[in-house]
Amino acid sequence: MSEEFTRILLIFISTVLVNNFILVRFLGICPFLGVSRHVETAFSMGLATTFVMTMTGAATWLINTYILEMFNLPFLQYVSFIIVIASLVQFVEMFIKKTSPVLYKALGIYLPLITTNCAILGLALLIPLNGYNFIESIVFGLSAGVGFTLAIVLMAGLRETLEFADVPEALKGVPITLIIAGIMAMAFMGFSGMISI
């Protein structure tokens, strides 16, 4: 196995499990709690977010490398990255609205909120900080999306199961959801000794 392939594999595993954006970095909590009531909706939201994160990884690396660094404009990172993210989300929103109006309605306000999802902006800012090359940036974006999808689908599965559980009245709704999120975060901490890149 080549050194480059090994590094890419480490980035993927590390980002999905060890440094999961939701459960370890605590980024993207709003859609995590808001869209995780049903597995199907959560999975669709995860796919949309994964697409945006992968494209963001590629686009922000290109913008940062060939525009911001070349013309010594690093102070424009936030603005330029937000514009890229907003454009990608608009594309995804139009695509979902055209191909699946039911899914578009199910995702509701959370679909346009991908634009302000701190996980995506965090991804864009971590790419230059970690010094990833173009391929590594795409893999980082893809794996961040896969980790996001994994976390949100796991939460949705647990919340669907909880509908049939005998949960005390005081814990129903948001309290039990936050308790589960905390337990999931502790479970993902078990991966922390595995790899970190």
Side-chain angles (χ1 to χ4, degrees):
M1 228 179 341
S2 72
E3 190 176 318
E4 180 65 23
F5 179 76
T6 303
R7 180 165 165 76
I8 286 172
L9 187 62
L10 287 175
I11 289 171
F12 186 84
I13 294 170
S14 175
T15 308
V16 172
L17 298 175
V18 180
N19 296 313
N20 186 287
F21 269 61
I22 293 176
L23 299 173
V24 176
R25 295 184 190 264
F26 302 108
L27 297 171
I29 297 293
C30 179
F32 175 67
L33 296 175
V35 187
S36 62
R37 287 190 179 91
H38 304 289
V39 172
E40 188 177 319
T41 309
F43 184 69
S44 300
M45 179 64 160
L47 288 181
T49 304
T50 300
F51 175 78
V52 172
M53 286 180 137
T54 306
M55 295 288 96
T56 297
T60 56
W61 186 88
L62 290 170
I63 288 169
N64 191 58
T65 303
Y66 292 113
I67 298 173
L68 302 180
E69 286 180 3
M70 190 176 285
F71 296 105
N72 197 24
L73 301 169
F75 56 90
L76 291 177
Q77 271 188 344
Y78 285 94
V79 175
S80 57
F81 292 170
I82 288 172
I83 290 169
V84 167
I85 293 165
S87 303
L88 289 168
V89 170
Q90 284 299 316
F91 172 73
V92 169
E93 190 175 356
M94 288 186 302
F95 179 78
I96 291 175
K97 189 175 185 178
K98 185 82 170 162
T99 58
S100 179
V102 174
L103 176 61
Y104 178 78
K105 191 173 181 181
L107 292 174
I109 188 67
Y110 294 100
L111 189 56
L113 281 178
I114 294 175
T115 304
T116 57
N117 188 339
C118 55
I120 298 174
L121 182 58
L123 167 93
L125 294 172
L126 282 169
I127 288 171
L129 189 68
N130 291 334
Y132 291 143
N133 63 33
F134 183 67
I135 299 298
E136 292 171 349
S137 298
I138 293 172
V139 170
F140 183 57
L142 175 67
S143 55
V146 169
F148 180 92
T149 306
L150 175 68
I152 200 169
V153 168
L154 285 173
M155 175 59 95
L158 290 169
R159 286 179 80 177
E160 280 186 354
T161 304
L162 276 178
E163 289 180 17
F164 304 105
D166 188 21
V167 179
E169 196 62 39
L171 294 178
K172 285 188 177 174
V174 175
I176 194 70
T177 304
L178 292 174
I179 290 169
I180 291 170
I183 293 169
M184 286 175 65
M186 286 192 298
F188 270 69
M189 282 177 61
F191 295 113
S192 63
M194 201 167 89
I195 348 171
S196 188
I197 192 164

